Amino acid sequence: MAFNKTRAYRHRIISESSNDDVDYSSRSSFTPTEYLFKILVIGELGTGKTSIIKRYVHQFFSQHYRATIGVDFALKVLNWDSNSIVRLQLWDIAGQERFGNMTRVYYKDALGAFIVFDVTRPATFDAVVKWKQDLDAKVSQEDGTPIPCVLLANKCDQVKEGMVNSVAKMDEFCKENQFSAWYETSAKENVHIDDAAKTLVAQILKNTAQYKPHSKTKGQILLNQVLSSSDKKTNGNCSC
């Protein structure tokens, strides 16, 4: 899809995993299933969203990032298991975009999300509920339930302030607001970022059990159609 010059800066690939090309020549009779999952990374300005993505994709950290304008993209390829490859298309959405008209477009077809706040700035945690409500209002699973969302309490290498100091209160907060899980993370020290991503991907894969392939090309499956009652009966998985 081509973008005109006035919007090109808002839509660019910022990084790509070096594992993109996987050699299966030695297993010519086997083609792994390949999944493509769109993942949103959202939260207030300056919470470290770009740093988390850079650390996760490239194992790189810098103190110097310009504020994201609009949305950036990154690609991470996971050899999930012996039968599956998972490609994560990570959408780094600017903090100031929350109430913009474009967020509905940015959120479209997302299958999971991270909401990020800064543990040193309680105001960024106060905004988490609004981010979650906005997310749930603009994107959902086929059955209308919220997409899996993991809360990241970022910059945990620094002094924490507010509710994040109480694990019990954070657990209750996440339960009340339908988060799949929460993690204290640090892009600088590489703390729990991989764990958070594995949790989110596992939840998305679990949810795809209720879907069937809409299209399949070279092992890639795009999941966007719920199994009908007749489909469930014909594939032998009917529970009635």
Side-chain angles (χ1 to χ4, degrees), residues 11 16 35 38 48 57 62 66 104 113 121 124 130 135 137 150 154 174 192 198 236 238:
H11 301 79
E16 185 168 343
Y35 298 92
K38 177 179 176 179
V57 174
S62 172
R66 291 179 299 176
R104 191 175 298 276
R121 296 160 54 205
T124 65
K130 291 182 179 179
L135 175 70
V150 172
N154 197 38
C174 289
H192 292 156
K198 287 177 182 177
C238 180

Side-chain angles (χ1 to χ4, degrees), residues 40-60:
L40 307 176
V41 184
I42 57 181
E44 292 293 283
L45 185 68
T47 54
K49 300 182 295 295
T50 300
S51 295
I52 286 172
I53 293 173
K54 288 283 191 180
R55 171 62 76 180
Y56 182 52
V57 174
H58 281 317
Q59 294 301 304
F60 173 80

